[in-house]
Amino acid sequence: MTDLIKTKVLIIGAGTGGYVAGIRCGQLGLDTILVDGGDGLGGTCLNVGCIPSKAIIHAASKFETVAKAADGGTLGITASKPAIDLAATVAWKDGIVRKLNGGVAALLKKAKVKVINGWAEFSDAKTCTVKTADGDITISAEHVILATGSEPVELPFLPFGGDVISSTEALALDKVPDRLVVVGGGYIGLELGIAYRKLGAEVAIVEMADRLLPLYDKALTDPVARWLEKHGVELHLGAKAGSFENGQLNITTKDGAAVKLKADKVLVTVGRRPRTRGWGLENMGVAMAGPFVKIDDRCATSMRNVWAVGDLTGEPMLAHKGSAQGEVVAEIIAARAQAASGRAASDSAKEKRFDPVTIAAVCFTEPEIVSAGLGPQDVQGRDDVITAMFPFMAIGRALALEAGDDGGFVRVIASKTDHRILGIQAVGQHVSELSNSFAQMMEMGAVLEDVAGTIHVHPTMGEAFHEASLRALGHAIHI
Protein backbone atom coordinates (compact mmCIF):
# COMPACT_ATOMS: atom_id res chain seq x y z
CA MET A 1 0.00 0.00 0.00
CA THR A 2 1.31 3.45 -0.94
CA ASP A 3 1.42 6.15 1.75
CA LEU A 4 0.01 9.59 0.81
CA ILE A 5 1.55 12.82 2.12
CA LYS A 6 0.37 16.36 1.43
CA THR A 7 2.73 19.31 1.79
CA LYS A 8 2.98 22.99 1.02
CA VAL A 9 6.32 22.73 -0.79
CA LEU A 10 7.89 19.71 -2.47
CA ILE A 11 11.50 19.99 -3.61
CA ILE A 12 13.02 17.42 -5.95
CA GLY A 13 16.78 17.33 -5.72
CA ALA A 14 19.08 17.99 -2.76
CA GLY A 15 21.87 19.83 -4.53
CA THR A 16 22.90 23.42 -3.84
CA GLY A 17 19.69 24.76 -5.38
CA GLY A 18 17.35 22.27 -3.72
CA TYR A 19 18.71 22.14 -0.19
CA VAL A 20 19.13 25.93 0.01
CA ALA A 21 15.54 26.33 -1.16
CA GLY A 22 14.51 23.81 1.50
CA ILE A 23 16.33 25.57 4.33
CA ARG A 24 14.92 28.95 3.34
CA CYS A 25 11.40 27.53 3.02
CA GLY A 26 11.73 26.06 6.51
CA GLN A 27 13.04 29.33 7.92
CA LEU A 28 9.97 31.05 6.48
CA GLY A 29 7.62 28.57 8.16
CA LEU A 30 6.58 26.60 5.06
CA ASP A 31 5.75 22.90 5.41
CA THR A 32 8.46 21.43 3.19
CA ILE A 33 9.53 18.02 1.92
CA LEU A 34 12.87 17.52 0.17
CA VAL A 35 13.32 14.38 -1.92
CA ASP A 36 16.93 13.29 -2.34
CA GLY A 37 17.37 10.66 -5.02
CA GLY A 38 20.76 11.58 -6.41
CA ASP A 39 24.27 11.96 -5.05
CA GLY A 40 23.24 12.74 -1.47
CA LEU A 41 22.59 15.95 0.44
CA GLY A 42 24.53 18.68 -1.30
CA GLY A 43 24.13 17.06 -4.70
CA THR A 44 26.83 16.92 -7.36
CA CYS A 45 28.68 19.97 -6.03
CA LEU A 46 29.24 18.70 -2.51
CA ASN A 47 29.58 14.98 -3.22
CA VAL A 48 31.22 14.50 -6.62
CA GLY A 49 31.92 17.98 -7.97
CA CYS A 50 33.03 21.35 -6.59
CA ILE A 51 34.10 20.37 -3.08
CA PRO A 52 35.85 17.02 -3.68
CA SER A 53 37.57 18.29 -6.82
CA LYS A 54 38.97 21.29 -4.96
CA ALA A 55 40.16 18.96 -2.20
CA ILE A 56 42.04 16.81 -4.73
CA ILE A 57 43.39 19.94 -6.45
CA HIS A 58 44.65 21.22 -3.08
CA ALA A 59 46.32 17.90 -2.27
CA ALA A 60 47.93 17.84 -5.73
CA SER A 61 49.35 21.33 -5.20
CA LYS A 62 50.79 20.29 -1.84
CA PHE A 63 52.39 17.26 -3.48
CA GLU A 64 53.84 19.43 -6.24
CA THR A 65 55.37 21.80 -3.68
CA VAL A 66 57.14 18.95 -1.89
CA ALA A 67 58.24 17.48 -5.23
CA LYS A 68 59.85 20.82 -6.13
CA ALA A 69 61.64 20.85 -2.79
CA ALA A 70 62.99 17.39 -3.57
CA ASP A 71 64.08 18.39 -7.06
CA GLY A 72 66.79 20.90 -6.26
CA GLY A 73 64.84 22.80 -3.63
CA THR A 74 62.40 25.71 -3.64
CA LEU A 75 62.47 28.93 -1.56
CA GLY A 76 65.51 27.51 0.17
CA ILE A 77 63.56 24.45 1.25
CA THR A 78 64.73 20.92 0.43
CA ALA A 79 62.97 17.63 1.08
CA SER A 80 63.07 13.97 0.27
CA LYS A 81 61.21 12.73 -2.78
CA PRO A 82 57.51 12.54 -1.90
CA ALA A 83 55.12 9.65 -2.46
CA ILE A 84 51.37 9.75 -2.89
CA ASP A 85 48.93 7.27 -1.41
CA LEU A 86 45.95 8.33 -3.48
CA ALA A 87 43.59 5.99 -1.63
CA ALA A 88 44.43 7.82 1.60
CA THR A 89 43.99 11.20 -0.12
CA VAL A 90 40.58 10.12 -1.42
CA ALA A 91 39.65 8.93 2.07
CA TRP A 92 40.59 12.38 3.43
CA LYS A 93 38.45 13.97 0.70
CA ASP A 94 35.55 11.66 1.58
CA GLY A 95 35.83 12.76 5.20
CA ILE A 96 35.33 16.39 4.14
CA VAL A 97 32.28 15.38 2.12
CA ARG A 98 30.80 13.43 5.05
CA LYS A 99 31.31 16.39 7.37
CA LEU A 100 29.53 18.73 4.95
CA ASN A 101 26.76 16.16 4.36
CA GLY A 102 26.17 16.08 8.08
CA GLY A 103 26.13 19.86 8.22
CA VAL A 104 23.48 20.10 5.50
CA ALA A 105 21.38 17.42 7.22
CA ALA A 106 21.57 19.34 10.52
CA LEU A 107 20.55 22.60 8.84
CA LEU A 108 17.57 20.95 7.15
CA LYS A 109 16.52 19.37 10.44
CA LYS A 110 16.81 22.70 12.22
CA ALA A 111 14.59 24.25 9.54
CA LYS A 112 12.06 21.40 10.07
CA VAL A 113 12.38 20.17 6.49
CA LYS A 114 11.38 16.52 6.03
CA VAL A 115 13.97 14.69 3.91
CA ILE A 116 12.93 11.56 2.00
CA ASN A 117 15.61 9.44 0.36
CA GLY A 118 14.39 7.89 -2.84
CA TRP A 119 13.72 8.41 -6.52
CA ALA A 120 10.68 10.51 -7.44
CA GLU A 121 8.48 10.06 -10.50
CA PHE A 122 5.75 12.57 -11.32
CA SER A 123 2.33 11.53 -12.59
CA ASP A 124 1.24 15.16 -12.97
CA ALA A 125 2.61 18.60 -12.13
CA LYS A 126 1.92 18.42 -8.40
CA THR A 127 2.00 14.69 -7.59
CA CYS A 128 4.86 12.24 -7.49
CA THR A 129 5.58 8.78 -6.16
CA VAL A 130 8.88 8.27 -4.36
CA LYS A 131 10.40 4.82 -4.33
CA THR A 132 12.18 4.41 -1.00
CA ALA A 133 13.86 1.52 0.76
CA ASP A 134 10.74 1.16 2.91
CA GLY A 135 8.21 1.27 0.08
CA ASP A 136 6.48 3.80 -2.13
CA ILE A 137 5.29 7.20 -0.92
CA THR A 138 2.96 9.44 -2.92
CA ILE A 139 3.39 13.15 -2.31
CA SER A 140 0.96 15.88 -3.32
CA ALA A 141 2.10 19.49 -3.06
CA GLU A 142 0.79 22.98 -3.55
CA HIS A 143 4.18 24.16 -4.81
CA VAL A 144 6.87 22.08 -6.52
CA ILE A 145 10.49 23.18 -6.88
CA LEU A 146 12.46 21.22 -9.47
CA ALA A 147 16.17 21.09 -8.65
CA THR A 148 17.34 17.87 -10.30
CA GLY A 149 20.68 19.28 -11.43
CA SER A 150 22.82 17.91 -14.22
CA GLU A 151 24.86 14.86 -15.19
CA PRO A 152 28.02 14.24 -17.29
CA VAL A 153 27.55 13.92 -21.04
CA GLU A 154 28.45 10.46 -22.27
CA LEU A 155 29.89 9.99 -25.75
CA PRO A 156 28.29 7.07 -27.63
CA PHE A 157 31.67 5.80 -28.83
CA LEU A 158 33.23 6.25 -25.35
CA PRO A 159 30.61 4.96 -22.91
CA PHE A 160 31.46 5.26 -19.23
CA GLY A 161 32.72 2.05 -17.67
CA GLY A 162 36.00 0.33 -16.91
CA ASP A 163 38.89 2.63 -17.78
CA VAL A 164 36.64 5.24 -19.43
CA ILE A 165 35.61 7.48 -16.57
CA SER A 166 33.70 10.66 -15.78
CA SER A 167 34.74 13.28 -13.26
CA THR A 168 32.91 11.29 -10.59
CA GLU A 169 35.22 8.29 -10.93
CA ALA A 170 38.27 10.54 -11.40
CA LEU A 171 37.70 11.82 -7.86
CA ALA A 172 37.65 8.30 -6.41
CA LEU A 173 40.67 6.54 -7.98
CA ASP A 174 42.81 4.49 -5.61
CA LYS A 175 46.06 5.20 -7.44
CA VAL A 176 47.48 7.75 -9.84
CA PRO A 177 47.31 6.44 -13.40
CA ASP A 178 50.62 6.37 -15.26
CA ARG A 179 48.95 7.87 -18.34
CA LEU A 180 45.72 9.85 -18.30
CA VAL A 181 44.02 11.11 -21.46
CA VAL A 182 41.42 13.82 -20.95
CA VAL A 183 38.78 14.21 -23.66
CA GLY A 184 37.52 17.78 -23.46
CA GLY A 185 39.51 20.93 -22.76
CA GLY A 186 36.89 22.71 -20.68
CA TYR A 187 37.27 23.70 -17.05
CA ILE A 188 36.44 20.27 -15.56
CA GLY A 189 38.90 18.41 -17.76
CA LEU A 190 41.65 20.95 -17.23
CA GLU A 191 41.18 21.17 -13.46
CA LEU A 192 41.46 17.40 -13.05
CA GLY A 193 44.08 16.95 -15.76
CA ILE A 194 46.33 19.54 -14.11
CA ALA A 195 45.80 17.97 -10.68
CA TYR A 196 46.82 14.53 -11.94
CA ARG A 197 49.82 15.99 -13.73
CA LYS A 198 50.93 17.51 -10.43
CA LEU A 199 50.50 14.07 -8.84
CA GLY A 200 52.87 12.56 -11.41
CA ALA A 201 50.65 11.22 -14.19
CA GLU A 202 51.56 11.72 -17.83
CA VAL A 203 48.62 13.70 -19.18
CA ALA A 204 47.28 14.33 -22.67
CA ILE A 205 44.30 16.54 -23.50
CA VAL A 206 42.15 16.13 -26.61
CA GLU A 207 39.98 19.12 -27.49
CA MET A 208 37.85 19.70 -30.62
CA ALA A 209 38.25 23.49 -30.52
CA ASP A 210 41.43 25.19 -31.70
CA ARG A 211 42.27 26.29 -28.16
CA LEU A 212 41.54 25.46 -24.56
CA LEU A 213 38.66 27.02 -22.63
CA PRO A 214 37.13 28.56 -25.77
CA LEU A 215 34.52 30.46 -23.72
CA TYR A 216 37.28 32.70 -22.34
CA ASP A 217 39.44 35.14 -24.29
CA LYS A 218 42.94 34.14 -25.25
CA ALA A 219 44.66 36.52 -22.82
CA LEU A 220 43.01 34.67 -19.92
CA THR A 221 43.81 31.20 -21.21
CA ASP A 222 47.39 31.78 -22.41
CA PRO A 223 48.90 31.49 -18.88
CA VAL A 224 47.13 28.14 -18.47
CA ALA A 225 48.43 26.96 -21.84
CA ARG A 226 51.95 27.99 -20.85
CA TRP A 227 51.69 26.02 -17.59
CA LEU A 228 50.59 22.93 -19.53
CA GLU A 229 53.46 23.28 -21.99
CA LYS A 230 56.02 23.87 -19.24
CA HIS A 231 54.85 20.77 -17.37
CA GLY A 232 54.82 18.45 -20.35
CA VAL A 233 51.08 18.08 -20.84
CA GLU A 234 50.44 16.82 -24.36
CA LEU A 235 47.87 18.95 -26.20
CA HIS A 236 45.84 17.84 -29.21
CA LEU A 237 43.76 20.84 -30.25
CA GLY A 238 41.29 20.72 -33.13
CA ALA A 239 41.28 16.94 -32.66
CA LYS A 240 38.45 14.43 -32.46
CA ALA A 241 38.40 11.50 -30.05
CA GLY A 242 37.34 8.05 -31.19
CA SER A 243 37.09 4.63 -29.60
CA PHE A 244 39.23 3.28 -26.76
CA GLU A 245 40.69 -0.15 -27.46
CA ASN A 246 43.49 -2.20 -25.92
CA GLY A 247 44.71 0.66 -23.74
CA GLN A 248 44.80 3.15 -26.60
CA LEU A 249 42.50 6.05 -27.48
CA ASN A 250 42.02 6.60 -31.19
CA ILE A 251 42.01 10.26 -32.19
CA THR A 252 41.98 12.20 -35.44
CA THR A 253 44.27 15.22 -35.33
CA LYS A 254 43.55 18.67 -36.74
CA ASP A 255 45.47 17.67 -39.88
CA GLY A 256 43.39 14.52 -40.33
CA ALA A 257 46.04 12.07 -39.16
CA ALA A 258 44.98 8.99 -37.20
CA VAL A 259 46.86 8.74 -33.89
CA LYS A 260 46.68 6.30 -30.99
CA LEU A 261 47.26 7.64 -27.48
CA LYS A 262 48.24 5.20 -24.75
CA ALA A 263 46.07 5.58 -21.67
CA ASP A 264 45.49 3.80 -18.39
CA LYS A 265 42.40 5.95 -17.87
CA VAL A 266 40.38 8.07 -20.29
CA LEU A 267 38.59 10.93 -18.55
CA VAL A 268 35.64 12.20 -20.61
CA THR A 269 34.66 15.77 -19.73
CA VAL A 270 32.81 17.09 -22.78
CA GLY A 271 30.13 18.86 -20.78
CA ARG A 272 27.08 18.34 -18.60
CA ARG A 273 23.41 18.13 -19.46
CA PRO A 274 20.35 18.85 -17.36
CA ARG A 275 18.94 15.81 -15.56
CA THR A 276 15.52 15.72 -17.23
CA ARG A 277 15.03 12.00 -17.75
CA GLY A 278 13.67 9.29 -15.53
CA TRP A 279 11.52 11.27 -13.09
CA GLY A 280 8.40 12.11 -15.12
CA LEU A 281 9.14 15.62 -16.34
CA GLU A 282 7.19 14.80 -19.48
CA ASN A 283 4.06 14.36 -17.36
CA MET A 284 4.26 17.81 -15.79
CA GLY A 285 3.30 19.96 -18.76
CA VAL A 286 6.10 22.50 -18.36
CA ALA A 287 7.53 24.35 -21.35
CA MET A 288 11.12 23.71 -22.38
CA ALA A 289 13.87 25.97 -23.70
CA GLY A 290 15.91 23.51 -25.72
CA PRO A 291 17.21 20.87 -23.27
CA PHE A 292 16.40 23.05 -20.26
CA VAL A 293 13.22 23.82 -18.34
CA LYS A 294 11.98 27.26 -19.35
CA ILE A 295 11.61 29.76 -16.51
CA ASP A 296 10.92 33.47 -16.11
CA ASP A 297 12.72 35.95 -13.86
CA ARG A 298 10.94 34.50 -10.82
CA CYS A 299 12.19 30.96 -11.67
CA ALA A 300 8.56 30.07 -12.45
CA THR A 301 7.83 27.48 -15.13
CA SER A 302 4.85 27.58 -17.48
CA MET A 303 2.86 25.46 -14.98
CA ARG A 304 1.31 27.38 -12.09
CA ASN A 305 3.19 26.92 -8.79
CA VAL A 306 5.89 24.77 -10.39
CA TRP A 307 9.33 26.31 -10.11
CA ALA A 308 12.79 25.29 -11.33
CA VAL A 309 16.29 26.24 -10.17
CA GLY A 310 19.91 25.39 -10.86
CA ASP A 311 21.43 23.48 -13.76
CA LEU A 312 17.99 22.34 -14.91
CA THR A 313 17.27 25.93 -16.00
CA GLY A 314 20.28 26.52 -18.24
CA GLU A 315 23.59 28.31 -18.33
CA PRO A 316 25.56 29.23 -16.40
CA MET A 317 25.46 25.82 -14.73
CA LEU A 318 27.02 26.98 -11.48
CA ALA A 319 26.25 25.94 -7.92
CA HIS A 320 26.03 29.49 -6.59
CA LYS A 321 23.46 30.39 -9.23
CA GLY A 322 21.23 27.51 -8.10
CA SER A 323 21.53 28.53 -4.45
CA ALA A 324 20.54 32.11 -5.21
CA GLN A 325 17.57 30.94 -7.28
CA GLY A 326 16.48 28.62 -4.47
CA GLU A 327 16.35 31.52 -2.01
CA VAL A 328 14.33 33.64 -4.45
CA VAL A 329 11.72 30.92 -4.99
CA ALA A 330 11.34 30.21 -1.27
CA GLU A 331 10.70 33.88 -0.55
CA ILE A 332 8.16 34.20 -3.38
CA ILE A 333 6.24 31.15 -2.12
CA ALA A 334 6.28 32.52 1.43
CA ALA A 335 4.96 35.87 0.22
CA ARG A 336 2.12 34.14 -1.60
CA ALA A 337 1.32 32.10 1.50
CA GLN A 338 1.17 35.29 3.55
CA ALA A 339 -1.13 36.92 1.01
CA ALA A 340 -3.42 33.87 0.96
CA SER A 341 -3.71 33.96 4.75
CA GLY A 342 -4.67 37.62 4.74
CA ARG A 343 -1.31 38.83 6.05
CA ALA A 344 0.46 41.53 4.09
CA ALA A 345 3.72 40.46 2.51
CA SER A 346 6.61 42.89 2.43
CA ASP A 347 7.08 44.81 -0.81
CA SER A 348 10.54 43.28 -1.28
CA ALA A 349 9.11 39.76 -1.06
CA LYS A 350 6.25 40.59 -3.44
CA GLU A 351 8.64 41.91 -6.06
CA LYS A 352 11.38 39.31 -5.65
CA ARG A 353 13.08 38.51 -8.93
CA PHE A 354 16.17 36.59 -9.97
CA ASP A 355 17.93 39.34 -11.88
CA PRO A 356 21.63 39.45 -10.97
CA VAL A 357 23.94 41.95 -12.60
CA THR A 358 26.52 39.20 -12.93
CA ILE A 359 27.27 35.63 -11.87
CA ALA A 360 31.02 35.30 -11.52
CA ALA A 361 32.64 32.10 -12.79
CA VAL A 362 35.93 30.52 -11.71
CA CYS A 363 38.20 27.95 -13.35
CA PHE A 364 40.38 26.30 -10.71
CA THR A 365 43.12 25.63 -13.24
CA GLU A 366 46.81 26.49 -12.87
CA PRO A 367 46.73 29.43 -12.76
CA GLU A 368 43.11 30.16 -11.80
CA ILE A 369 40.74 32.20 -13.97
CA VAL A 370 37.90 34.47 -12.83
CA SER A 371 35.38 36.22 -15.06
CA ALA A 372 32.47 38.49 -14.14
CA GLY A 373 30.33 40.52 -16.50
CA LEU A 374 31.36 41.49 -20.02
CA GLY A 375 34.61 40.29 -21.54
CA PRO A 376 36.68 41.70 -24.42
CA GLN A 377 34.76 39.58 -26.92
CA ASP A 378 31.51 41.22 -25.75
CA VAL A 379 32.74 44.79 -26.31
CA GLN A 380 34.84 44.20 -29.41
CA GLY A 381 34.56 47.11 -31.82
CA ARG A 382 32.95 49.44 -29.27
CA ASP A 383 34.53 52.85 -28.75
CA ASP A 384 32.49 53.68 -25.64
CA VAL A 385 34.43 51.47 -23.21
CA ILE A 386 37.70 51.64 -21.31
CA THR A 387 39.80 48.52 -20.81
CA ALA A 388 42.77 48.38 -18.45
CA MET A 389 44.95 45.54 -17.20
CA PHE A 390 47.37 45.36 -14.28
CA PRO A 391 49.92 42.50 -14.04
CA PHE A 392 50.53 40.54 -10.87
CA MET A 393 54.26 40.77 -11.51
CA ALA A 394 54.00 44.32 -10.12
CA ILE A 395 52.21 43.20 -6.93
CA GLY A 396 54.42 42.42 -3.92
CA ARG A 397 52.10 39.84 -2.38
CA ALA A 398 51.95 37.95 -5.69
CA LEU A 399 55.72 37.78 -5.89
CA ALA A 400 55.92 36.55 -2.30
CA LEU A 401 53.45 33.79 -3.15
CA GLU A 402 55.33 32.84 -6.35
CA ALA A 403 52.26 34.07 -8.21
CA GLY A 404 53.78 36.94 -10.15
CA ASP A 405 55.70 35.19 -12.91
CA ASP A 406 52.95 33.23 -14.67
CA GLY A 407 51.57 36.05 -16.82
CA GLY A 408 48.64 36.72 -14.49
CA PHE A 409 46.72 39.98 -14.34
CA VAL A 410 43.49 41.73 -13.37
CA ARG A 411 41.51 43.48 -16.12
CA VAL A 412 38.62 45.90 -15.83
CA ILE A 413 36.19 46.98 -18.54
CA ALA A 414 34.14 50.11 -17.91
CA SER A 415 31.91 52.60 -19.65
CA LYS A 416 33.85 55.55 -21.04
CA THR A 417 31.05 58.01 -20.28
CA ASP A 418 30.15 57.27 -16.65
CA HIS A 419 32.95 54.83 -15.69
CA ARG A 420 30.46 52.16 -14.58
CA ILE A 421 32.21 48.80 -14.38
CA LEU A 422 30.93 46.41 -17.06
CA GLY A 423 33.27 43.46 -16.57
CA ILE A 424 36.22 42.21 -14.53
CA GLN A 425 38.54 39.31 -15.29
CA ALA A 426 41.63 37.88 -13.68
CA VAL A 427 44.08 35.06 -14.21
CA GLY A 428 46.67 34.02 -11.65
CA GLN A 429 47.28 31.94 -8.57
CA HIS A 430 44.68 32.38 -5.82
CA VAL A 431 42.51 34.78 -7.89
CA SER A 432 39.39 32.72 -7.10
CA GLU A 433 39.38 34.58 -3.78
CA LEU A 434 38.91 37.87 -5.67
CA SER A 435 35.72 36.68 -7.38
CA ASN A 436 33.36 37.84 -4.65
CA SER A 437 34.87 41.33 -4.63
CA PHE A 438 34.41 41.50 -8.41
CA ALA A 439 30.79 40.35 -8.21
CA GLN A 440 30.01 42.66 -5.30
CA MET A 441 31.33 45.76 -7.06
CA MET A 442 29.33 44.97 -10.18
CA GLU A 443 26.14 44.13 -8.26
CA MET A 444 26.38 47.47 -6.44
CA GLY A 445 26.77 49.33 -9.73
CA ALA A 446 30.27 50.53 -8.84
CA VAL A 447 32.19 52.93 -11.00
CA LEU A 448 35.97 52.99 -11.39
CA GLU A 449 36.23 55.76 -8.83
CA ASP A 450 34.56 53.51 -6.23
CA VAL A 451 37.33 50.94 -6.55
CA ALA A 452 40.04 53.57 -6.85
CA GLY A 453 38.72 55.32 -3.74
CA THR A 454 38.65 52.15 -1.64
CA ILE A 455 41.84 51.71 0.38
CA HIS A 456 43.00 48.19 -0.43
CA VAL A 457 45.00 46.28 2.15
CA HIS A 458 48.71 45.90 1.48
CA PRO A 459 50.15 43.43 0.76
CA THR A 460 47.32 41.48 -0.91
CA MET A 461 46.47 40.12 -4.34
CA GLY A 462 43.44 42.41 -4.42
CA GLU A 463 45.70 45.43 -4.90
CA ALA A 464 45.83 44.46 -8.58
CA PHE A 465 42.08 45.24 -8.85
CA HIS A 466 42.74 48.66 -7.32
CA GLU A 467 45.64 49.34 -9.66
CA ALA A 468 43.74 48.16 -12.74
CA SER A 469 40.97 50.62 -11.90
CA LEU A 470 43.49 53.41 -11.36
CA ARG A 471 45.05 52.55 -14.70
CA ALA A 472 41.68 52.77 -16.41
CA LEU A 473 41.39 56.28 -14.96
CA GLY A 474 44.83 57.11 -16.32
CA HIS A 475 46.91 57.17 -13.14
CA ALA A 476 48.07 53.75 -11.98
CA ILE A 477 50.71 54.08 -9.27
CA HIS A 478 52.85 50.95 -9.55
CA ILE A 479 53.32 50.62 -13.29
Side-chain angles (χ1 to χ4, degrees), residues 34-317:
L34 174 65
V35 177
D36 171 25
D39 300 302
L41 295 178
T44 294
C45 177
L46 193 157
N47 292 278
V48 293
C50 314
I51 301 301
S53 66
K54 302 316 167 280
I56 295 297
I57 289 168
H58 174 70
S61 294
K62 291 287 188 182
F63 182 85
E64 181 190 37
T65 298
V66 180
K68 284 181 180 179
D71 186 20
T74 179
L75 310 179
I77 302 168
T78 58
S80 300
K81 184 177 180 180
I84 180 74
D85 180 349
L86 190 59
T89 304
V90 168
W92 164 75
K93 175 266 296 180
D94 289 342
I96 295 172
V97 170
R98 283 193 300 271
K99 182 176 181 179
L100 292 172
N101 279 145
V104 172
L107 291 169
L108 289 164
K109 183 178 181 180
K110 180 181 179 182
K112 296 182 172 58
V113 176
K114 181 178 178 61
V115 177
I116 297 177
N117 297 305
W119 190 256
E121 184 165 353
F122 281 84
S123 55
D124 60 46
K126 307 290 175 55
T127 309
C128 74
T129 298
V130 182
K131 297 185 180 301
T132 75
D134 299 320
D136 293 353
I137 301 173
T138 297
I139 305 172
S140 176
E142 183 178 337
H143 292 268
V144 172
I145 303 175
L146 302 176
T148 55
S150 62
E151 58 194 4
V153 172
E154 185 177 48
L155 295 173
F157 49 86
L158 279 176
F160 294 131
D163 292 326
V164 178
I165 60 176
S166 72
S167 56
T168 299
E169 292 77 35
L171 294 169
L173 297 178
D174 58 3
K175 66 177 182 178
V176 178
D178 291 331
R179 289 192 59 85
L180 173 69
V181 176
V182 180
V183 178
Y187 75 95
I188 297 175
L190 285 178
E191 286 181 6
L192 293 175
I194 288 171
Y196 273 104
R197 181 69 190 108
K198 289 181 177 181
L199 292 172
E202 296 295 325
V203 176
I205 297 173
V206 180
E207 166 59 43
M208 287 186 66
D210 290 333
R211 64 181 185 84
L212 300 170
L213 297 168
L215 295 179
Y216 296 94
D217 66 271
K218 191 171 181 294
L220 287 176
T221 60
D222 275 350
V224 178
R226 285 195 291 271
W227 188 95
L228 295 171
E229 181 180 3
K230 180 180 178 180
H231 291 81
V233 175
E234 190 178 324
L235 293 181
H236 297 274
L237 302 178
K240 296 180 181 179
S243 60
F244 179 61
E245 301 168 336
N246 301 318
Q248 295 181 316
L249 178 69
N250 295 296
I251 71 167
T252 303
T253 68
K254 184 178 181 180
D255 299 327
V259 174
K260 295 181 183 292
L261 301 178
K262 292 182 179 179
D264 298 297
K265 299 289 181 183
V266 175
L267 170 58
V268 179
T269 59
V270 294
R272 297 183 66 85
R273 64 185 174 205
R275 190 175 280 126
T276 57
R277 298 176 295 182
W279 49 272
L281 177 63
E282 63 278 5
N283 299 323
M284 300 185 72
V286 300
M288 303 295 289
F292 302 104
V293 171
K294 185 178 182 179
I295 59 171
D296 62 15
D297 61 357
R298 298 166 301 142
C299 301
T301 72
S302 59
M303 181 62 68
R304 183 174 179 271
N305 289 350
V306 176
W307 317 80
V309 302
D311 290 359
L312 189 63
T313 65
E315 299 289 351
M317 296 169 76

Side-chain angles (χ1 to χ4, degrees), residues 407-471:
F409 60 85
V410 172
R411 178 177 60 209
V412 295
I413 300 173
S415 167
K416 189 177 289 185
T417 55
D418 63 5
H419 293 176
R420 189 166 303 279
I421 297 173
L422 305 175
I424 316 167
Q425 297 84 39
V427 57
Q429 293 180 50
H430 316 293
V431 296
S432 58
E433 296 303 324
L434 302 181
S435 58
N436 295 314
S437 176
F438 295 171
Q440 183 181 42
M441 283 295 183
M442 292 195 62
E443 199 66 39
M444 295 176 66
V447 295
L448 292 170
E449 287 82 356
D450 291 322
V451 183
T454 300
I455 299 175
H456 285 64
V457 174
H458 174 76
T460 63
M461 298 287 283
E463 289 178 276
F465 184 22
H466 183 236
E467 290 278 5
S469 299
L470 288 173
R471 195 175 193 185

Side-chain angles (χ1 to χ4, degrees), residues 256-388:
V259 174
K260 295 181 183 292
L261 301 178
K262 292 182 179 179
D264 298 297
K265 299 289 181 183
V266 175
L267 170 58
V268 179
T269 59
V270 294
R272 297 183 66 85
R273 64 185 174 205
R275 190 175 280 126
T276 57
R277 298 176 295 182
W279 49 272
L281 177 63
E282 63 278 5
N283 299 323
M284 300 185 72
V286 300
M288 303 295 289
F292 302 104
V293 171
K294 185 178 182 179
I295 59 171
D296 62 15
D297 61 357
R298 298 166 301 142
C299 301
T301 72
S302 59
M303 181 62 68
R304 183 174 179 271
N305 289 350
V306 176
W307 317 80
V309 302
D311 290 359
L312 189 63
T313 65
E315 299 289 351
M317 296 169 76
L318 299 171
H320 42 290
K321 182 196 80 171
S323 296
Q325 288 177 319
E327 287 189 68
V328 167
V329 172
E331 291 174 15
I332 291 173
I333 294 173
R336 291 189 175 188
Q338 286 181 333
S341 66
R343 291 177 293 157
S346 66
D347 289 340
S348 61
K350 287 179 182 176
E351 298 172 2
K352 199 77 176 179
R353 293 288 187 273
F354 181 72
D355 186 24
V357 172
T358 187
I359 303 174
V362 178
C363 292
F364 290 86
T365 46
E366 188 65 63
E368 297 173 346
I369 297 174
V370 175
S371 181
L374 301 181
Q377 65 275 18
D378 301 309
V379 298
Q380 189 172 7
R382 290 175 54 176
D383 59 4
D384 61 339
V385 298
I386 307 167
T387 300

